[in-house]
Amino acid sequence: MLRFSFFALTVGAVLLLPSAAVAATDLPAPTVTGTAIGPASGAGPVTLIGVRTGRHAAYDRTVFDFTGGTPAYRVEYGRLEHQARDEAIQLSGPADLVIVFQGLAGVRDMATRNPRLPTLLQIKSGGFFEGYASFGLGLADRVGFRVLILHNPERIAVDVAHQPSQPFGTTTVARTGTAPDAVVAAVRSGRHPGYDRLVFDMAGPDLPTVSVSYASTGPTIRLTFTGNGSPTQSPHASYTGPADHTFDLPSLRALHFTIIGAGLMTADVTTAHRNGFRIMLLQHPTRVVLDVRT
């Protein structure tokens, strides 16, 4: 049975926008995958009266319609469990996004939906009990999401990004950025349907210049990070963490950093096979993403 505290700081992407602003233009795809938490709004009592879905250019949207305001909420990747008993609920797709509402007076719509959109495959209810209601979004991949609080009428929208459209390949890929310093702050990895992901979290708001290619022989992908400032002054390329990392993933096996100097640093990624890869430079937060096919 899911119970959460709703008094923590919001970690995920949460936007409060007027209805007209959302209707006028599509938003960009969300990129944050961390937990999103928000407080209730309105005078109440709050009742969930309906659930709707829609496809946008870069994301799929689920809208929860309310009367009396909007409830407190928590949205995160995890496992959907029934509110009234210790029972897991299976969802379509390899990734489950769980939404828990707190402080509801009632729920009028708990029907299962199978929209089969590019990312959003299914919506299931986890039940309603003692003011809590939960829903699970069955997704085609673990992608970025955001939560929007909308008014007139009262509703909460959850957007899930479409999967990346960049093709996989084995030829050299170069991306030019503007960052004077190419500083990696942290490294993360994860398994996705059809590929493994390696994320380099960058310090600062600007993207670095990156070149990515397989070594002439063997399953090693080299990323070369370049800072674009003067090599004789302050710019540099560096990582303060351990030089070596290992991964227990189908394609990703190991990572080794080498700081060359003069604004250059390499990251050698050992893979299980010489499979296709793709590279993405993303912001908010700033990061370099390497996906390798499994």
Side-chain angles (χ1 to χ4, degrees):
M1 181 169 60
L2 293 173
R3 291 290 185 268
F4 298 112
S5 169
F6 287 81
F7 297 99
L9 292 175
T10 299
V11 180
V14 182
L15 303 176
L16 283 79
L17 299 175
S19 304
V22 176
T25 58
D26 261 3
L27 298 171
T31 61
V32 175
T33 57
T35 301
I37 303 170
S41 69
V46 179
T47 299
L48 174 64
I49 60 172
V51 181
R52 299 177 282 126
T53 64
R55 176 176 178 174
H56 291 249
Y59 55 91
D60 299 333
R61 172 167 291 180
T62 303
V63 178
F64 298 89
D65 292 306
F66 300 93
T67 59
T70 58
Y73 63 85
R74 183 183 184 105
V75 184
E76 63 185 345
Y77 281 101
R79 184 179 71 168
L80 178 64
E81 296 179 355
H82 200 284
Q83 282 295 315
R85 53 186 179 270
D86 187 15
E87 175 184 301
I89 299 174
Q90 298 299 314
L91 294 164
S92 296
D96 297 349
L97 188 63
V98 179
I99 303 160
V100 180
F101 298 120
Q102 180 192 20
L104 289 174
V107 175
R108 298 180 189 171
D109 191 342
M110 292 191 289
T112 296
R113 291 168 170 81
N114 298 284
R116 299 294 171 181
L117 298 173
T119 297
L120 179 61
L121 305 179
Q122 188 177 56
I123 304 170
K124 275 189 179 180
S125 168
F128 172 59
F129 186 68
E130 294 182 343
Y132 288 81
S134 60
F135 291 85
L137 306 186
L139 306 181
D141 198 355
R142 185 184 175 97
V143 295
F145 71 89
R146 66 172 158 249
V147 181
L148 301 98
I149 312 304
L150 306 169
H151 303 289
N152 301 317
E154 304 300 305
R155 59 207 190 277
I156 292 178
V158 179
D159 294 342
V160 291
H162 291 167
Q163 293 167 292
S165 59
Q166 292 92 328
F168 288 86
T170 57
T171 58
T172 300
V173 177
R175 297 284 185 268
T176 301
T178 60
D181 301 331
V183 179
V184 175
V187 176
R188 297 176 284 125
S189 63
R191 182 176 181 176
H192 290 248
Y195 62 93
D196 292 340
R197 171 164 288 180
L198 185 58
V199 179
F200 300 88
D201 291 309
M202 307 302 297
D206 299 322
L207 292 167
T209 294
V210 181
S211 176
V212 187
S213 63
Y214 265 109
S216 56
T217 60
T220 298
I221 300 172
R222 169 162 289 185
L223 291 85
T224 301
F225 292 87
T226 305
N228 292 321
S230 168
T232 62
Q233 297 181 10
S234 61
H236 60 285
S238 65
Y239 173 57
T240 58
D244 293 290
H245 297 256
T246 57
F247 310 104
D248 185 21
L249 294 170
S251 286
L252 293 178
R253 296 301 169 83
L255 166 65
H256 177 74
F257 284 98
T258 301
I259 299 174
I260 299 172
L264 292 174
M265 176 177 64
T266 60
D268 289 330
V269 181
T270 303
T271 61
H273 304 285
R274 202 176 173 93
N275 292 344
F277 66 84
R278 66 185 173 202
I279 190 76
M280 292 177 284
L281 273 63
L282 305 174
Q283 291 180 291
H284 311 298
T286 308
R287 58 208 189 279
V288 175
V289 177
L290 172 70
D291 293 338
V292 183
R293 275 201 180 278
T294 53

